[in-house]
Amino acid sequence: MQTVGQSAVQAELRFPAGFVWGAATAAYQIEGAVSEGGRGRSIWDTFSHTPGRTADGDTGDVACDHYHRYAEDVALMARLGLAAYRFSVAWPRIQPDGTGPANPAGLDFYDRLVDTLVGHGIDPIVTLYHWDLPQALQEQGGWTVRQTAHRFAGYAELVHARLGDRVRTWVTLNEPWCAAFLGHTAGVHAPGQADPAAGFAAAHHLLLGHGEAVRGLRAAGAERLGVTLNPAAVRPADPQAPGDVAAARLVDGLQNRIFLDPMFGHGYPADVLAVARRFGPTDWLQDGDEATIAAPLGLLGVNYYAPAVVAARPGEPANPTYPGSEGIGFIPSPGPATEMGWAIEPAGLTGLLERLARDYPGVPILITENGAAFADRPDAGGRVADPRRIAYLDGHLRAVHAAIDRGADVRGYLVWTLMDNFEWAEGYRKRFGLIYVDYPTQRRVPKDSAWWYRDLIARGGLAAPRTGRE
Ligand code: IFM
């Protein structure tokens, strides 16, 4: 086994006792086997098979073949010393048409996965919805209709009934902002709609489904219930310019407060509802919904990749992902970026965590995703050197540590992602993994960052930065 960076260890930046180290994945991005075990079709099967929707026409049909190789993958996790692994359950494996009794073969797969994780001492963290809605439900309106929220809660109970004896931590939704607005307003994710009214309706029904699922799973005895958001670390280009400050406030509303406020019992923000009303009636919001959505949380999952800088730009057309954002410019950062084109700015994570701790206190935070796409490949000797990923992770862990020092209750950190996988509309071009996947052979090659992470976990924290004198 390779060791990276050990000689540089002078001191350590330690994390609190019990801090959880892990990695995350999602079903459609890794499993493959889309026609096995009685799995139904999902909106991502349909979307990825639609010409022009994904880079190179890539689909998740085979992905990392994790459905068949999960034991090998869990063994690799154990070699890295992961304490936790966050994966998602594919709803169409459990209910091929999104309703009715559970498909036993679907539950069996996750049952085997959970047993294998537990057998290696790895705590399973289950995400119930990471974007793969059963296609049959989409044909009845998908997330734009209320029924889908009720269906989601029913599905969540089926999964909990089978896995709840071993799974302690449940995440209802992954990044509902992406599901609602990338999927229904910008149309760059499944189901590929471009209708702002549909985006707001979908956001509401995702929130409602979350609340109903939390209520149901809590009644069924689930230990820790949470949600994963991708809050924007948004800031005005010029903090002294009132127009820029107002622009940042609106984007904050459309990405952050629209989910956080109702989930934390404050109801919908008035400014966000006013934007939604511009595009159609908001009659999706019914009496009692906000109380349902406010079901108490035991965990707030935070996915962070990059900051957003905005400014008032009169005449600028609306950004399709942010309905109502006419006159707002999204300013590219001049500094370094990952291969997604996302600015690398760890301080944005510190600021975001401080803001969440201040405005939405009382719920422990787990970093459920953080990581970077870089296209490093094996060299002639088979080694994958990925120093930029190591630097990215190092910088962001220092940012998390700084937030903890300033009072944020962050309990753990999960790298996105365990292994290279299907990066949605970007297909297989973008590689976020700690482990390189050679897709033609499905060979897994831990990158230098994987060994770096293993050493960090073993040490319980970061090595001190190099002084140049060692
Ligand atoms: O790959 C995705 C993941 O599915 C959700 N969060 C962001 C990641 C990188 O784009």
Side-chain angles (χ1 to χ4, degrees):
M1 220 181 272
Q2 299 171 49
T3 299
V4 173
Q6 288 285 53
S7 61
V9 176
Q10 294 288 305
E12 294 174 355
L13 191 59
R14 290 201 154 274
F15 283 74
F19 193 82
V20 174
W21 300 102
T25 63
Y28 190 67
Q29 295 183 270
I30 64 165
E31 285 179 4
V34 291
S35 305
E36 291 183 50
R39 178 187 180 277
R41 283 181 71 76
S42 85
I43 56 174
W44 267 96
D45 295 304
T46 305
F47 188 79
S48 65
H49 279 269
T50 305
R53 293 302 206 173
T54 64
D56 303 324
D58 286 343
T59 74
D61 287 3
V62 177
C64 305
D65 194 31
H66 174 76
Y67 185 80
H68 298 114
R69 296 168 193 263
Y70 71 91
E72 175 194 347
D73 292 335
V74 173
L76 272 169
M77 295 176 212
R79 278 179 74 190
L80 300 183
L82 302 191
Y85 172 57
R86 171 181 174 241
F87 63 93
S88 79
V89 172
W91 186 348
R93 283 199 193 284
I94 309 304
Q95 290 177 306
D97 293 328
T99 183
N103 164 36
L107 283 175
D108 287 351
F109 168 66
Y110 296 106
D111 198 76
R112 292 193 295 274
L113 174 61
V114 166
D115 272 352
T116 309
L117 288 164
V118 171
H120 282 83
I122 299 169
D123 196 28
I125 298 176
V126 169
T127 305
L128 287 160
Y129 186 71
H130 200 126
W131 307 350
D132 40 5
L133 185 75
Q135 179 64 32
L137 293 187
Q138 183 60 38
E139 278 148 28
Q140 297 161 44
W143 287 109
T144 69
V145 299
R146 198 170 173 86
Q147 169 189 260
T148 300
H150 310 323
R151 297 268 191 249
F152 175 67
Y155 146 74
E157 288 184 29
L158 293 176
V159 180
H160 178 265
R162 181 69 175 270
L163 305 181
D165 56 339
R166 286 149 293 157
V167 173
R168 299 181 302 157
T169 306
W170 296 85
V171 172
T172 54
L173 307 174
N174 179 73
E175 300 177 355
W177 179 81
C178 297
F181 295 106
L182 296 183
H184 297 80
T185 304
V188 295
H189 276 193
Q193 293 180 5
D195 170 8
F200 284 109
H204 180 68
H205 297 128
L206 283 154
L207 278 163
L208 188 64
H210 155 83
E212 290 187 5
V214 168
R215 195 167 55 195
L217 265 53
R218 178 156 292 122
E223 194 173 320
R224 196 174 305 113
L225 287 156
V227 66
T228 280
L229 303 179
N230 57 327
V234 55
R235 61 172 197 272
D238 177 357
Q240 306 305 323
D244 293 4
V245 172
R249 180 76 183 158
L250 184 67
V251 172
D252 177 69
L254 292 171
Q255 186 154 355
N256 301 339
R257 290 179 289 115
I258 186 174
F259 295 106
L260 286 160
D261 279 15
M263 283 177 170
F264 279 78
H266 308 312
Y268 276 107
D271 59 339
V272 171
L273 280 182
V275 175
R277 275 195 288 271
R278 285 178 44 199
F279 298 99
T282 53
D283 50 4
W284 28 261
L285 177 55
Q286 298 186 5
D287 283 352
D289 285 3
E290 286 170 316
T292 303
I293 295 166
L297 293 174
L299 179 76
L300 175 62
V302 172
N303 293 355
Y304 174 84
Y305 291 89
V309 181
V310 298
R313 289 277 185 275
E316 186 84 24
N319 177 327
T321 13
Y322 295 96
S325 64
E326 299 86 357
I328 295 177
F330 288 75
I331 314 297
S333 288
T338 69
E339 282 173 11
M340 295 294 279
W342 298 345
I344 301 176
E345 211 181 279
L349 178 54
T350 308
L352 174 65
L353 293 170
E354 287 183 279
R355 184 272 173 105
L356 293 172
R358 185 186 65 235
D359 292 353
Y360 304 97
V363 176
I365 292 173
L366 178 66
I367 307 298
T368 37
E369 289 182 25
N370 177 237
F374 292 112
D376 304 297
R377 291 174 182 276
D379 64 16
R383 171 181 171 190
V384 185
D386 58 341
R388 293 170 297 176
R389 177 170 295 99
I390 293 173
Y392 181 98
L393 298 175
D394 179 283
H396 286 78
L397 279 166
R398 290 178 195 282
V400 172
H401 197 277
I404 294 172
D405 277 350
R406 294 174 204 175
D409 184 10
V410 184
R411 301 286 177 92
Y413 177 90
L414 311 180
V415 173
W416 184 266
T417 178
L418 179 71
M419 57 188 160
D420 297 338
N421 58 43
F422 175 75
E423 177 52 27
W424 307 110
E426 301 289 337
Y428 295 97
R429 283 187 191 170
K430 299 291 189 281
R431 293 178 175 270
F432 278 84
L434 292 171
I435 297 171
Y436 179 87
V437 177
D438 179 51
Y439 294 111
T441 62
Q442 291 293 348
R443 200 164 57 92
R444 276 71 163 136
V445 183
K447 303 176 187 176
D448 280 1
S449 57
W451 305 128
W452 172 88
Y453 196 45
R454 175 202 58 181
D455 293 346
L456 180 152
I457 293 170
R459 196 193 294 128
L462 289 151
R466 286 172 179 273
T467 62
R469 289 193 296 274
E470 65 269 341

